[in-house]
Amino acid sequence: DAEITQSPRHKITETGRQVTLACHQTWNHNNMFWYRQDLGHGLRLIHYSYGVQDTNKGEVSDGYSVSRSNTEDLPLTLESAASSQTSVYFCASSENGQTDTQYFGPGTRLTVL
Amino acid sequence: DQQVKQNSPSLSVQEGRISILNCDYTNSMFDYFLWYKKYPAEGPTFLISISSIKDKNEDGRFTVFLNKSAKHLSLHIVPSQPGDSAVYFCAASGLSGYALNFGKGTSLLVTP
């Protein structure tokens, strides 16, 4: 079955370290998204991509970067982790257009000490 | 500034009764609205959606109503079941392309 996976599921890191969260989907979807979920904020958009080599900033992109070198993967990098980036991170993908359903991965819980 | 608002953090309903979850939005550029359901330690799962050209969409026990003039949508669950207990997120798209703007969520508890 096609799916979307995230790894690791849990990570603890220290302030200042570079961290990369992986997202992999097997649906061959063009669109991929990264959101973070924090108490009192719901889910907020970090970065998104509509295809290979395409990346766009979302609402809370500062301190994060993404790259899209193939259709299946959109890794999220925290250049220098900060305690404010402690959160649960969700990756999502959708086929093409606006009305195509976004399917979410299981999430990565990141703690920055 | 939150452009999609869910003003009720929680809701408790008895099994078999109707659950009504509400959502307001501030930007008239939104043209597609969705509800997602989320269980603890899982990713959100799509529940139902509605385009701005419609005012109602129904799927089994779930119905979404859209009132564009009031910038308000609601999700009705009839009848409610204990398995419906979850956090429900309202979302809208149309500003940042296909990306979703989410509300803060409403935690629904359906009691037997």
Side-chain angles (χ1 to χ4, degrees):
Chain A
D1 277 348
E3 59 179 357
I4 181 166
T5 57
Q6 294 184 235
S7 62
R9 293 294 313 276
H10 302 270
K11 182 159 183 76
I12 300 175
T13 191
E14 295 178 342
T15 301
R17 291 194 180 262
Q18 184 181 78
V19 177
T20 296
L21 309 182
C23 175
H24 179 79
Q25 51 96 3
T26 59
W27 285 298
N28 206 35
H29 284 169
N30 284 324
N31 307 328
M32 295 185 74
F33 309 86
W34 274 103
Y35 298 88
R36 60 178 286 178
Q37 183 189 11
D38 304 288
L39 203 62
H41 286 281
L43 283 84
R44 291 181 292 174
L45 180 68
I46 306 172
H47 281 286
Y48 57 102
S49 168
Y50 291 148
V52 176
Q53 303 301 333
D54 175 74
T55 61
N56 305 279
K57 293 182 178 180
E59 176 190 357
V60 291
S61 61
D62 286 350
Y64 303 94
S65 64
V66 294
S67 62
R68 187 93 180 266
S69 58
N70 59 52
T71 301
E72 297 79 18
D73 300 287
L74 187 70
L76 177 71
T77 298
L78 286 69
E79 303 295 343
S80 176
S83 57
S84 60
Q85 295 177 307
T86 292
S87 186
V88 180
Y89 291 85
F90 291 101
C91 177
S93 73
S94 65
E95 190 169 2
N96 277 309
Q98 181 186 20
T99 59
D100 291 324
T101 299
Q102 282 191 30
Y103 296 93
F104 282 77
T108 293
R109 181 175 294 275
L110 176 68
T111 302
V112 183
L113 300 177
Chain B
D1 188 27
Q2 198 89 17
Q3 299 194 68
V4 178
K5 301 179 182 181
Q6 294 176 257
N7 293 320
S8 298
S10 62
L11 176 67
S12 182
V13 172
Q14 278 191 318
E15 182 178 7
R17 307 292 286 265
I18 184 172
S19 295
I20 300 176
L21 293 88
N22 293 304
C23 177
D24 298 293
Y25 61 97
T26 58
N27 198 314
S28 57
M29 294 295 290
F30 288 132
D31 58 4
Y32 191 63
F33 304 90
L34 310 91
W35 286 93
Y36 277 81
K37 177 179 179 179
K38 186 181 179 307
Y39 293 115
E42 294 183 9
T45 55
F46 171 75
L47 194 57
I48 193 169
S49 63
I50 187 167
S51 165
S52 60
I53 62 173
K54 296 186 174 181
D55 54 19
K56 176 183 174 182
N57 189 27
E58 200 169 348
D59 184 1
R61 296 187 296 115
F62 303 91
T63 303
V64 56
F65 296 91
L66 176 63
N67 182 334
K68 281 184 295 184
S69 61
K71 294 192 180 67
H72 177 83
L73 63 155
S74 61
L75 174 69
H76 292 212
I77 306 174
V78 184
S80 302
Q81 299 173 354
D84 296 330
S85 297
V87 177
Y88 289 78
F89 288 99
C90 173
S93 70
L95 288 185
S96 302
Y98 308 150
L100 300 175
N101 289 72
F102 283 88
K104 295 181 181 181
T106 296
S107 179
L108 173 65
L109 177 65
V110 181
T111 57

